[in-house]
Amino acid sequence: MKKEYREDCPEYLLGFLNHIRVIQDRTPRTEEAYYIDIRCFLRFLKIDHNDVDPNKIEFEAIGIKDVPIDYLKSFTLYDAYNYLSWLADERNNQARTRARKTTALRQFFIYLYDKAKLIDSNPVEGLELPRTAHTLPKYLSLNEAQQLLASIETRNTQRDYCIITLFLNCGMRLSELCGLDIGDISFENRTIRLFGKGRKERIVSINNACIAALKAYLPYRNTEGTTCDALFFSAKKNRISRRRVQEIVEDCLEKAGLANMGITTHKLRHTAATLMYQNGVDTLVLKNVLGHESIATTEIYTHINDDNVREAIDMNPLAEISKEKK
């Protein structure tokens, strides 16, 4: 996490973030996400205790270093629901955002009570997560995915084609792709090593399309004269950033005529999962390919596409019956 973030943290928050990073072995990005959510909560406490006047100071300017531990010791479940109401009414947070911040809050108080022993009880132990709407993942159809691959032509065509091929065939996460090193590829075993959430390692098979894309890209990569171990790197010869990969995908989607569909790098992962499932891959196998901890996460891909729904409706024996005009 960036040093300037830590400078505004009270000691108990630093302890929590260290626990997230060192004990739970979470990524810096996850640590930063927890910091941002708990910072919001501590700012709320300062407003709630009248330490600051929200009409006189911008919310983002409220410091949190001086929030006393006593505010947390006296915090109640009733206060927690007031906080969630404030997030909805004053911060206009949608249910999904409130659910994420509730999860962060619960983890924070578990640390304070169970790990650090800084409070005498856990006031949010019974705090429920806000109900969120379950939406089906967006994805490209097979024809659209083929259209995307066929239209890739950039200043770094071999690299960008390889990136999108890996997304569409392996269903890897953005962080997994950016973290790939040359040594993670084994053409002999037809595998690639990925480090997923929580830095959990898994080995994924690569198919002919991936092998062909990698073999076309590697000679180009090796002529660029980088000493970086990263498989994909930027113009500055550093490991490619998440944002740069997102820009590459956005540009390729636009050139393919697939912009404004809500497709992102993560939706390419959805595309890979959906296409595999639609072509007979078992959900348990798909769970391992995607690196999911729970089969419930994978089961979202068992949705039926619109074409199948339309076909089922058309097959109804009453489909051609209509009332005759008299």
Side-chain angles (χ1 to χ4, degrees), residues 145-170 172 177 207-218 220 231-232 240 245 248-249 251-253 255 268:
Q146 292 170 333
Q147 180 180 335
L148 172 60
L149 288 168
S151 64
I152 296 174
E153 188 173 345
T154 68
R155 289 192 301 174
N156 299 286
T157 297
Q158 295 93 333
R159 181 197 66 185
D160 299 345
Y161 184 88
C162 188
I163 285 174
I164 292 179
T165 295
L166 291 177
F167 274 134
L168 288 174
N169 283 275
C170 299
M172 61 182 61
L177 181 130
N207 58 23
N208 291 337
C210 294
I211 291 172
L214 284 164
K215 287 188 173 180
Y217 163 64
L218 286 176
Y220 162 82
L231 177 60
F232 300 111
I240 199 165
V245 174
I248 289 169
V249 170
D251 291 344
C252 290
L253 284 166
K255 289 178 181 177
L268 295 185

Side-chain angles (χ1 to χ4, degrees), residues 57-313:
I57 183 173
E58 292 290 333
F59 183 75
E60 299 300 330
I62 298 175
I64 60 171
K65 194 174 183 66
D66 58 345
V67 178
I69 190 68
D70 288 344
Y71 286 1
L72 302 172
K73 290 179 178 180
S74 62
F75 194 73
T76 67
L77 183 60
Y78 177 79
D79 295 328
Y81 283 112
N82 279 340
Y83 172 56
L84 294 181
S85 295
W86 176 83
L87 288 174
D89 299 337
E90 299 297 327
R91 300 296 295 168
N92 297 317
N93 285 176
Q94 298 300 310
R96 189 173 296 276
T97 301
R98 297 198 306 274
R100 188 197 71 226
K101 290 181 177 179
T102 300
T103 298
L105 192 65
R106 295 201 302 193
Q107 289 296 314
F108 182 49
F109 274 98
I110 287 174
Y111 165 79
L112 294 173
Y113 171 63
D114 191 45
K115 308 300 180 183
K117 312 295 184 184
L118 293 174
I119 57 177
D120 296 329
S121 62
N122 182 355
V124 301
E125 186 174 5
L127 183 61
E128 298 176 81
L129 287 174
R131 181 177 297 177
T132 57
H134 293 284
T135 57
L136 295 178
K138 294 180 181 179
Y139 63 95
L140 296 175
S141 67
L142 176 59
N143 288 339
E144 289 168 339
Q146 292 170 333
Q147 180 180 335
L148 172 60
L149 288 168
S151 64
I152 296 174
E153 188 173 345
T154 68
R155 289 192 301 174
N156 299 286
T157 297
Q158 295 93 333
R159 181 197 66 185
D160 299 345
Y161 184 88
C162 188
I163 285 174
I164 292 179
T165 295
L166 291 177
F167 274 134
L168 288 174
N169 283 275
C170 299
M172 61 182 61
R173 299 179 177 94
L174 175 60
S175 59
E176 292 171 342
L177 181 130
C178 293
L180 283 172
D181 288 338
I182 286 288
D184 294 328
I185 303 165
S186 172
F187 289 120
E188 180 181 357
N189 296 321
R190 295 174 65 91
T191 60
I192 195 164
R193 179 174 58 180
L194 301 175
F195 292 90
K197 288 186 176 180
R199 299 175 186 173
K200 292 181 179 178
E201 178 182 339
R202 73 180 191 279
I203 304 297
V204 174
S205 296
I206 49 177
N207 58 23
N208 291 337
C210 294
I211 291 172
L214 284 164
K215 287 188 173 180
Y217 163 64
L218 286 176
Y220 162 82
R221 177 200 180 277
N222 295 335
T223 59
E224 291 297 296
T226 181
T227 58
C228 180
D229 291 332
L231 177 60
F232 300 111
F233 54 87
S234 66
K236 295 181 179 180
K237 306 298 187 290
N238 298 320
R239 183 179 299 275
I240 199 165
S241 69
R242 292 183 178 91
R243 183 58 198 141
R244 181 66 191 117
V245 174
Q246 290 169 336
E247 290 172 345
I248 289 169
V249 170
E250 290 166 3
D251 291 344
C252 290
L253 284 166
E254 184 173 359
K255 289 178 181 177
L258 299 170
N260 303 318
M261 292 177 57
I263 300 299
T264 62
T265 55
H266 199 66
K267 299 304 184 290
L268 295 185
R269 172 172 160 86
H270 289 330
T271 298
T274 301
L275 293 178
M276 281 187 274
Y277 177 77
Q278 290 177 346
N279 283 273
V281 176
D282 182 80
T283 51
L284 287 175
V285 176
L286 193 56
K287 170 182 175 292
N288 293 330
V289 171
L290 298 174
H292 288 158
E293 291 188 2
S294 170
I295 189 65
T297 307
T298 314
E299 285 175 346
I300 192 172
Y301 298 106
T302 62
H303 60 82
I304 304 174
N305 63 34
D306 291 341
D307 289 339
N308 288 341
V309 172
R310 188 177 300 110
E311 182 180 354
I313 297 297

